[in-house]
Amino acid sequence: MNNNYIEFKKKRELGDIITDTFAFIRQNGKHLLSILLKTSVIPFVLLLLASAYYTHTYANVFDPVSLSRGELSDMGILLIALVAMFAMLLIFYGALFGTVLHYIKNYIEGKGVVNSETVVQGVKNDFGKIIGLGVLSGLITFFGTLLCVFPGIYLYVPMSLVFSILIFRNSSVSDAISDSFNLIKNEWWITFATLFIVGIVIWIISMVFSIPAAVYSYTRLLTSASEGSMVDPTAMIDWVFIALNTISSAAQYVLYIITAISTAFIYFNLNEIKHATGALEQIDSLGNNK
């Protein structure tokens, strides 16, 4: 057993979830990243390429000169670029969440000792279900948002826990979705508050990585203004901006690791409130040691 083992199966306050999330990253970050390189690096690179291509296509399509003539050329290409970016985001999201949650599952089973091959194999076995669940939960949240913003927000909370339920309970896709609503019953507000605070923390960190692209755009804008030339917004999107923006996007995608770990802590906190499985396991282990 790892002497620095962090117990997942226990009740936590909001602050404890955030603190333990970063404590887990400090202790296991290097090992977890080494496994993510095996499972997620190809989708990650393809996602960055798709994002860069979408940014480039968007600048071409919404060129002010073409718009002034009433022309919207290459809209089909823009749509393809958008679909490709979202498809790669889904695949990367599934690979990352699957890896992180299987890592935590193996971490719990080994009391802090993680077998890399077991994690990788677990991701391979569940990858199809993870992608299917990602599509279904995304559609549920999307259509809830279309109906009204508040149903979308409400549905986002249980849908944020479906991957944890799928992996930690070895559930089916349908059971993961139905169980997520049972899990947040009477606990929606505290779960929302925790996800909201985690989101703010991630947003603050991501803002640091967006500074170079913002500074470059602002510098270009000032230079154009000082020269007295008309500022073409799409002209600001050159290869330097695309590169800086891609780096910023890369950082934001990597920060999904924090989201995945925090949702695991949220899941176990709610599961403990509802079922007290961790407490029962501790009682059983004490009885077996006598």
Side-chain angles (χ1 to χ4, degrees), residues 38-39 102 117-128 130:
K38 299 178 181 178
T39 62
H102 268 288
E117 295 304 319
T118 302
V119 175
V120 173
Q121 189 59 48
V123 176
K124 290 180 180 178
N125 293 341
D126 288 339
F127 191 69
I130 293 170

Side-chain angles (χ1 to χ4, degrees), residues 43-285:
F44 180 65
V45 172
L46 292 176
L47 174 58
L48 293 181
L49 292 174
S51 299
Y53 181 66
Y54 173 76
T55 303
H56 172 72
T57 305
Y58 181 89
N60 289 337
V61 170
F62 291 98
D63 175 67
V65 176
S66 299
L67 290 176
S68 65
R69 297 173 180 171
E71 300 175 356
L72 275 177
S73 61
D74 297 329
M75 282 299 293
I77 296 176
L78 179 64
L79 180 61
I80 292 172
L82 181 62
V83 171
M85 184 177 70
F86 274 110
M88 292 314 307
L89 179 61
L90 175 64
I91 293 172
F92 170 72
Y93 192 86
L96 184 142
F97 261 68
T99 303
V100 172
L101 295 177
H102 268 288
Y103 185 97
I104 293 173
K105 182 179 182 179
N106 196 248
Y107 175 90
I108 295 171
E109 293 171 350
K111 294 298 181 181
V113 179
V114 177
N115 184 293
S116 302
E117 295 304 319
T118 302
V119 175
V120 173
Q121 189 59 48
V123 176
K124 290 180 180 178
N125 293 341
D126 288 339
F127 191 69
K129 291 199 298 182
I130 293 170
I131 295 299
L133 183 58
V135 172
L136 191 55
S137 61
L139 289 174
I140 290 172
T141 306
F142 174 73
F143 284 114
T145 305
L146 283 183
L147 293 174
C148 185
V149 174
F150 293 108
I153 295 174
Y154 175 81
L155 290 170
Y156 170 75
V157 174
M159 292 305 102
S160 67
L161 301 174
V162 291
F163 296 106
S164 293
I165 295 172
L166 179 79
I167 291 174
F168 296 133
R169 295 185 180 180
N170 196 27
S171 300
S172 65
V173 171
S174 58
D175 286 343
I177 292 176
S178 61
D179 288 349
S180 69
F181 287 96
N182 293 328
L183 200 60
I184 67 154
K185 187 177 181 180
N186 301 323
E187 302 293 338
W188 188 92
W189 279 108
I190 186 61
T191 306
F192 171 76
T194 306
L195 291 169
F196 183 73
I197 296 300
V198 171
I200 290 177
V201 171
I202 293 174
W203 177 77
I204 292 173
I205 297 173
S206 66
M207 287 298 293
V208 175
F209 294 97
S210 66
I211 290 175
V215 169
Y216 177 75
S217 297
Y218 187 66
T219 303
R220 291 273 321 261
L221 184 64
L222 288 179
T223 302
S224 299
S226 64
E227 293 174 352
S229 58
M230 293 292 292
V231 178
D232 179 357
T234 58
M236 309 294 290
I237 307 177
D238 56 10
W239 69 270
V240 176
F241 175 83
I242 291 175
L244 293 174
N245 189 64
T246 301
I247 293 172
S248 174
S249 298
Q252 294 177 25
Y253 297 144
V254 171
L255 290 175
Y256 281 139
I257 295 173
I258 300 175
T259 304
I261 296 172
S262 63
T263 54
F265 277 112
I266 293 170
Y267 161 77
F268 281 110
N269 175 58
L270 294 175
N271 192 60
E272 200 62 24
I273 292 172
K274 298 286 184 177
H275 307 294
T277 53
L280 292 174
E281 287 178 5
Q282 290 181 6
I283 292 172
D284 289 341
S285 64

Side-chain angles (χ1 to χ4, degrees), residues 25 27-38 103 106 112-117 119:
I25 292 173
Q27 293 181 15
N28 300 273
K30 290 183 179 180
H31 191 199
L32 177 57
L33 282 174
S34 69
I35 300 176
L36 283 169
L37 287 174
K38 299 178 181 178
Y103 185 97
N106 196 248
V113 179
V114 177
N115 184 293
S116 302
E117 295 304 319
V119 175

